[in-house]
Amino acid sequence: EAGVVQSPRYKIIEKKQPVAFWCNPISGHNTLYWYRQNLGQGPELLIRYENEEAVDDSQLPKDRFSAERLKGVDSTLKIQPAELGDSAVYLCASSGSTGRPSEAFFGQGTRLTVV
Amino acid sequence: AQTVTQSQPEMSVQEAETVTLSCTYDTSENNYYLFWYKQPPSRQMILVIRQEAYKQQNATENRFSVNFQKAAKSFSLKISDSQLGDTAMYFCAFMRYNAGNMLTFGGGTRLMVKP
């Protein structure tokens, strides 16, 4: 079974440029998460989707960040315009159920460097 | 809000020896779950072990075991017979019961296993 797939693995952009990250969750997983992991820190949740609905986006900086999950499968996280402080690893995860604790499976992340 | 604290930024252990990683957390919840995740240089978060707060018995998974002290809000990870492949970042994480399986992570402990 394929795991959570993210692309690209690395991205270097200049500040003020836009950038997008893509995530393909495990087949059949209804819940999808985007986490941001700053250097030397633990991941922090940005947004959670149940199918195509964003049910928790309180930590998403909405002035420059946006996300979508069309048809409740793949998801895209976008930053426009990027700032130097956005440099981090962006992790996508998915899980199969929210009714009881369900293991979250993580992708390998996208390392973003803003110069 | 929940907080998770890992007070050991870095640890090292000799191959085949035992090491214990510390984690404390703060919550007003009574029902919750605790996890230890491993993050190797590939950046993919891998679940090591989980503990349900209502269970008094400490979880074990092969060479990995936890010491869960609910009253003290402590959740340490013991790795026995350390192997070179155990070298990684280790994150302690908290999950509220029935809250969408969202994880709150600690800051991580970098473990190096020396030959």
Side-chain angles (χ1 to χ4, degrees), chain A residues 18-109:
Chain A
V19 64
F21 316 123
W22 176 80
C23 173
N24 180 239
I26 291 173
S27 178
H29 279 190
N30 298 327
T31 310
L32 183 145
Y33 315 80
W34 282 103
Y35 287 85
R36 176 168 62 187
Q37 184 176 20
N38 292 319
L39 184 64
Q41 299 181 21
E44 296 178 326
L45 182 72
L46 290 174
I47 189 168
R48 172 172 70 98
Y49 279 93
E50 291 296 333
N51 299 303
E52 66 275 10
E53 182 182 0
V55 294
D56 191 324
D57 63 355
S58 58
Q59 301 303 311
L60 190 72
K62 298 182 183 61
D63 56 337
R64 297 182 300 106
F65 286 65
S66 64
E68 61 182 10
R69 190 183 184 196
L70 300 176
K71 300 182 181 179
V73 182
D74 295 0
S75 178
T76 303
L77 178 67
K78 298 178 181 178
I79 309 175
Q80 182 172 9
E83 297 179 351
L84 295 177
D86 296 331
S87 294
V89 173
Y90 291 83
L91 294 166
C92 179
S94 69
S95 66
S97 171
T98 57
R100 55 178 296 172
S102 177
E103 180 180 350
F105 292 84
F106 285 80
Q108 291 186 296

Side-chain angles (χ1 to χ4, degrees), chain B residues 17-92:
Chain B
E17 297 294 307
T18 296
V19 64
T20 299
L21 308 184
S22 300
C23 173
T24 58
Y25 59 94
D26 189 25
T27 183
S28 58
E29 304 282 336
N30 191 48
N31 293 321
Y32 52 87
Y33 305 90
L34 296 163
F35 303 82
W36 279 97
Y37 277 87
K38 171 184 177 181
Q39 187 178 42
S42 68
R43 299 199 303 261
Q44 188 165 18
M45 301 286 275
I46 301 166
L47 178 64
V48 174
I49 197 166
R50 86 177 82 195
Q51 175 78 41
E52 292 150 314
Y54 66 86
K55 290 187 177 179
Q56 293 185 335
Q57 186 172 8
N58 289 322
T60 61
E61 286 288 343
N62 301 313
R63 298 182 296 108
F64 299 88
S65 62
V66 299
N67 183 3
F68 173 49
Q69 302 291 326
K70 190 173 183 180
K73 296 181 181 174
S74 170
F75 183 61
S76 61
L77 174 69
K78 185 172 80 171
I79 306 174
S80 304
D81 186 25
S82 298
Q83 300 175 0
L84 296 179
D86 295 333
T87 293
M89 286 290 294
Y90 286 81
F91 292 94
C92 178

